[in-house]
Amino acid sequence: MNPYEKLLLENKAWAQEMLEEDTDYFNRLAKLQTPEFLWIGCSDSRVPADKITGTQPGEIFVHRNIANLVINTDVNLLSVLDYAVNHLKVNHVIVCGHYGCGGVKAAMTNHDFNHLLNMWLRNIKDVYRIYQQELNNIENEEARADRLVELSVKEQVMRLAKTSIIQRAWKYGKRPVLHGWVYGLKDGIIKSLFDMQPGSDMDNIYKYDDL
Ligand SMILES: [Zn+2]
């Protein structure tokens, strides 16, 4: 059997199992999704958003990219954010990084990963530059990478707050709360690092005053 064929077989078994538990399961889900959360996570196969949070289909809207970055020219991410905030009306946006992130580790090297990946990883290097004093003082390389994972998550959350999508929702809807989390590959535990409540302050230059 081809490896991909196993996926299709597993899918049939799963669908069957769900129906045995609840004959109306798919009918109900097909009609409506009302997720409470938008998850912005890493594409890493070891960090599946629904599994590690025990959420079911319909409960969590998901965007994943390498190293869970929020980039203000990324039409894909911004479309997901716009849809989740303005149409699904999620109350929480979670940026979840993870320790041992390959994207973060790659960004800490001086290696040329060729144009596209270099372009992507530059965003993490820019975070490193902001916090270089703190990071350079951490001798252990793994500990330094783990700290950069945390600092990057914090930066991505702040980048969400800089968008007019979030600022408008804060002004007119008093939501969503923004969360910065980090998942531990070694223990499976999510650590909550940083929250931004609706209306949180930020550097003046990023504030829209005519929303
Ligand atoms: Zn990662």
Side-chain angles (χ1 to χ4, degrees):
M1 195 196 299
N2 271 317
Y4 76 87
E5 287 176 313
K6 186 169 177 290
L7 301 187
L8 296 170
L9 269 180
E10 288 289 349
N11 164 256
K12 284 199 184 71
W14 172 78
Q16 188 60 38
E17 199 181 308
M18 299 314 282
L19 281 178
E20 277 164 19
E21 274 175 33
D22 175 0
T23 48
D24 203 35
Y25 184 74
F26 292 108
N27 282 336
R28 207 174 51 247
L29 269 183
K31 280 186 206 128
L32 188 69
Q33 65 159 341
T34 53
E36 174 92 352
F37 313 99
L38 166 61
W39 174 277
I40 299 169
C42 184
S43 298
D44 193 304
S45 63
R46 297 164 296 179
V47 195
D50 52 350
K51 274 227 162 124
I52 64 174
T53 56
T55 43
Q56 300 301 316
E59 289 186 320
I60 188 164
F61 200 62
V62 173
H63 176 86
R64 290 168 71 178
N65 62 42
I66 293 175
N68 43 272
L69 297 181
V70 174
I71 294 168
N72 71 348
T73 51
D74 181 350
V75 176
N76 185 351
L77 174 120
L78 293 174
S79 302
V80 169
L81 181 67
D82 189 358
Y83 186 72
V85 169
N86 292 317
H87 296 271
L88 297 173
K89 311 232 178 268
V90 297
N91 287 316
H92 301 272
V93 179
I94 299 155
V95 177
C96 187
H98 66 99
Y99 296 120
C101 183
V104 169
K105 282 188 196 161
M108 288 174 73
T109 72
N110 294 98
H111 186 68
D112 169 17
F113 290 94
N114 283 327
H115 186 61
L116 263 182
L117 273 176
N118 287 345
M119 217 165 77
W120 193 256
L121 297 176
R122 240 285 299 286
N123 292 285
I124 308 171
K125 289 178 185 282
D126 289 343
V127 176
Y128 194 108
R129 178 180 49 77
I130 299 171
Y131 298 100
Q132 58 184 315
Q133 216 168 357
E134 176 187 343
L135 289 165
N136 287 340
N137 281 332
I138 304 172
E139 271 179 36
N140 180 285
E141 207 171 316
E142 199 181 330
R144 198 178 336 127
D146 284 350
R147 183 60 183 147
L148 180 55
V149 164
E150 293 177 349
L151 293 168
S152 175
V153 163
K154 190 177 168 195
E155 278 296 314
Q156 308 316 312
V157 171
M158 292 194 297
R159 285 182 187 175
L160 285 174
K162 291 170 188 170
T163 65
S164 56
I165 298 170
I166 292 297
Q167 288 183 33
R168 192 172 284 116
W170 279 0
K171 184 173 178 185
Y172 296 106
K174 305 279 179 271
R175 63 169 182 85
V177 182
L178 309 180
H179 304 267
W181 292 358
V182 180
Y183 173 76
L185 290 176
K186 288 179 181 165
D187 59 10
I189 298 296
I190 294 172
K191 187 159 106 185
S192 168
L193 281 182
F194 179 68
D195 285 340
M196 283 184 92
Q197 296 297 324
S200 286
D201 203 19
M202 69 188 80
D203 288 333
N204 206 42
I205 192 72
Y206 297 111
K207 290 180 194 165
Y208 296 99
D209 62 6
D210 55 353
L211 289 167

